[in-house]
Amino acid sequence: MERTPEQLAEIEMAKRLKKKEVVDKKIAAATQERGVSILLTGNGKGKSSSAFGTMARSLGHGQKATVVQFIKGRKETGEQLFFGQHPQVDFHVMGHGFTWETRDPELEQKAANQAWEVAQQALSNPEVHFVLLDEITYMYKYGYLNAADLVQALAHRPAHQNVMMTGRTAPRELLDSVDTHSKIANERHAFEHGVKAQPGIEW
């Protein structure tokens, strides 16, 4: 027998109430109050954009943030130009080392070590509420840094501190240690269809 619109509405309401009950139980069970570690990986566009967007939320609540970018591009990025002027943000770009265009292993190793020193300071500073380690996973891919050092630093950071990390791939020990891991897939990209990279979108 075909159901009436009223019966269908009642069924839909019952489904929503049951879903709400499940969600309410999860909310009630989430009693921990602490910072979280978030890792964004995958071949899709938007990892750094998502991380900087989350940092903007943090700043909106008056929190202090530190950014360490482990990849130096040819141009200053929009996020550096914007957030680098923010009084609550310490913004660091990996000196003269790793870039997408040139490869000088000795210079890159030195720059990676320097950037990691800055990251370590932020991860041990209770005054910093949000730490963004942008493109850090490439340092593990190319063997410039040890993932175990990051895992240890995350485990011993101030309890309230939130940390976001980005990069296409990540070592297993880092994947297994973070609170949240999101993977961004590449379904389609304008560059593949001949659209030039542009300020405000790619950098």
Side-chain angles (χ1 to χ4, degrees):
M1 183 177 68
E2 187 174 347
R3 292 187 173 91
T4 65
E6 291 77 12
Q7 289 174 321
L8 292 173
E10 288 180 5
I11 293 171
E12 180 62 27
M13 180 58 70
K15 288 180 180 178
R16 292 185 181 184
L17 289 174
K18 189 165 186 64
K19 184 175 182 179
K20 181 179 183 303
E21 182 181 353
V22 172
V23 173
D24 287 345
K25 286 182 179 179
K26 289 183 178 180
I27 292 174
T31 57
Q32 297 183 52
E33 293 187 17
R34 63 173 178 82
V36 294
S37 55
I38 302 172
L39 176 63
L40 304 179
T41 64
N43 294 326
K45 175 175 171 53
K47 297 179 289 295
S48 294
S49 302
S50 174
F52 278 103
T54 305
M55 186 176 78
R57 287 179 175 171
S58 174
L59 296 172
H61 289 283
Q63 298 178 356
K64 183 174 175 58
T66 294
V67 177
V68 183
Q69 286 191 310
F70 284 81
I71 302 290
K72 180 185 177 184
R74 290 173 295 180
K75 307 176 179 70
E76 284 187 306
T77 61
E79 54 265 29
Q80 180 185 0
L81 293 169
F82 183 77
F83 289 112
Q85 304 300 317
H86 197 289
Q88 290 292 97
V89 178
D90 289 327
F91 205 113
H92 305 271
V93 179
M94 187 173 173
H96 44 267
F98 195 107
T99 72
W100 293 118
E101 292 80 27
T102 61
R103 294 302 310 277
D104 184 335
E106 185 175 347
L107 199 61
E108 290 169 7
Q109 181 66 71
K110 181 179 179 180
N113 292 341
Q114 291 173 345
W116 174 238
E117 286 180 11
V118 174
Q120 281 183 301
Q121 292 172 9
L123 292 169
S124 62
N125 187 349
E127 295 183 1
V128 178
H129 294 83
F130 185 96
V131 178
L132 171 51
L133 306 178
D134 192 35
E135 311 282 17
I136 189 173
T137 66
Y138 291 98
M139 300 303 101
Y140 309 121
K141 178 180 179 180
Y142 292 103
Y144 292 127
L145 296 176
N146 188 339
D149 293 334
L150 175 57
V151 171
Q152 183 176 22
L154 291 173
H156 294 90
R157 74 188 193 277
H160 64 276
Q161 192 179 81
N162 295 301
V163 183
M164 289 192 75
M165 298 149 283
T166 70
R168 287 196 174 188
T169 61
R172 173 50 56 187
E173 57 190 311
L174 181 58
L175 290 169
D176 290 341
S177 71
V178 297
D179 295 303
T180 299
H181 172 218
S182 294
K183 192 169 185 178
I184 300 177
N186 181 29
E187 299 294 339
R188 183 181 297 110
H189 198 295
F191 183 72
E192 297 169 353
H193 301 281
V195 181
K196 290 179 66 174
Q198 56 184 296
I201 299 296
E202 274 76 33
W203 72 87

